[in-house]
Structures are given as structure tokens and as C-alpha cells.
Amino acid sequence: MSAVVDRGSVTVPVQYHQFDISDEDGPTGPDLDRRHNGLVRVTDGVTVVMTGIHTGDVGVTVTLHRAEPPPSEEDWQEIVEISTHAPSGELMVRGMMDDLDEELPVLSFDGPGDYRLRIHARGRDTAVDLAPDEVTEWYLIQAWPSPSQETTVLRQTDNYGAAVRAS
């Protein structure tokens, strides 16, 4: 079991069904189509987390680990693991068009290099295509240093993800 090195929770602004994970100095990985898993894609070098809501805020928690942690035991509807690269060591969760009110811990906490992200999601079926006034979706991103591996789907149970995979 890998102890938590750091953690943070904030609301993240969403536009066009997404928020981003990026490093300003370069691509986080090779392109990965949205139909692959329905939760995470990589386009133009940016890792994109796909949300059910069109616009608004989602709750995001980040936990950083020295080694692979177990998946969260909470009730998550979608869980996908993806490898990312942090050229500058500044791999961060970002809003697509708006800055975060408070920054989350830097995902690449061990400096430049390769990391594994396990992204958990729930609530994506609650307000699909809407712009709710309150948070209806939650995400957990676990990060740890790791050599690059294939993307792994651990759970797929929400309707929104099924629709994305089918499109």
C-alpha cells in the first residue's frame, strides 16, 4: 500500500464537457481517441477528462503516491489508468478556459518524467449536457511515478461513458 504524499480537493471549471491535465512544456502522451474508454482521451498532447456536464464546476481530488496505490474503495462509476509524461515537471489539472480558484498539488511531484494517473469518476449521468449551478460530478486522480504502460480500464458503468464510447 502506498501512503499519500500530498492531497488536495477543489472545484474545477468545465467547458465543453472537459477539464485538462497538461504540462506547458510539451505533450503528456500520444493521442488517445475519446472512444477508447469514454473517460480520458489525449488530444494535441493534452490529457482531457471528459465530463457529463457541458459547463460548470466539478469536484476534483488529487492524491499523490510514491508507488502504485490501491484503487479507491469509494463508489466510483468509471476508473481508467493512463500513463502521462511531464516534460517540465509541471503536470497539473487545469480548466480548459478558466484558471482554478485554488491550485491542486502538481501531479508530477517527483519532477520531470513519466507518471501513471488513475482517474475515477462518478455523477456524470446526473446533468448530462447541462450547466448546473451546483457540483453534480466528482473525480479522484491518483498519481505516482511509473514507466509508461498501456491505458487500462478498471471500471465502466455510467451511461455517459457508454455513449461516448459508442459515438
Side-chain angles (χ1 to χ4, degrees):
M1 177 124 98
S2 176
V4 174
V5 173
D6 197 3
R7 74 176 288 130
S9 294
V10 300
T11 56
V12 173
V14 167
Q15 288 90 19
Y16 300 102
H17 291 280
Q18 70 185 52
F19 65 90
D20 298 340
I21 299 171
S22 63
D23 184 307
E24 292 189 13
D25 278 0
T28 60
D31 282 359
L32 179 67
D33 189 84
R34 64 192 304 258
R35 291 172 297 208
H36 177 275
N37 60 67
L39 176 60
V40 185
R41 69 178 184 199
V42 181
T43 184
D44 296 328
V46 174
T47 300
V48 176
V49 179
M50 295 173 279
T51 65
I53 65 170
H54 181 277
T55 306
D57 292 325
V58 296
V60 176
T61 298
V62 165
T63 60
L64 309 178
H65 306 264
R66 291 268 171 227
E68 180 179 355
S72 171
E73 293 182 8
E74 292 182 45
D75 186 25
W76 297 100
Q77 295 168 313
E78 301 274 317
I79 306 173
V80 174
E81 285 185 10
I82 187 168
S83 290
T84 60
H85 183 70
S88 73
E90 292 294 319
L91 186 68
M92 299 177 67
V93 173
R94 305 170 197 274
M96 184 179 146
M97 294 159 54
D98 293 325
D99 292 332
L100 278 58
D101 290 337
E102 293 179 54
E103 287 190 3
L104 286 163
V106 174
L107 298 172
S108 52
F109 64 95
D110 214 26
D114 294 325
Y115 290 81
R116 191 79 169 160
L117 304 180
R118 183 180 296 131
I119 301 170
H120 305 67
R122 71 170 169 252
R124 295 194 309 163
D125 292 339
T126 305
V128 174
D129 296 330
L130 300 178
D133 291 330
E134 68 263 352
V135 173
T136 60
E137 298 181 30
W138 294 268
Y139 298 82
L140 167 65
I141 303 171
Q142 296 173 308
W144 64 95
S146 175
S148 184
Q149 305 169 40
E150 292 293 318
T151 298
T152 305
V153 175
L154 301 175
R155 185 173 302 147
Q156 294 179 316
T157 61
D158 70 21
N159 293 325
Y160 183 74
V164 171
R165 288 186 295 277
S167 63

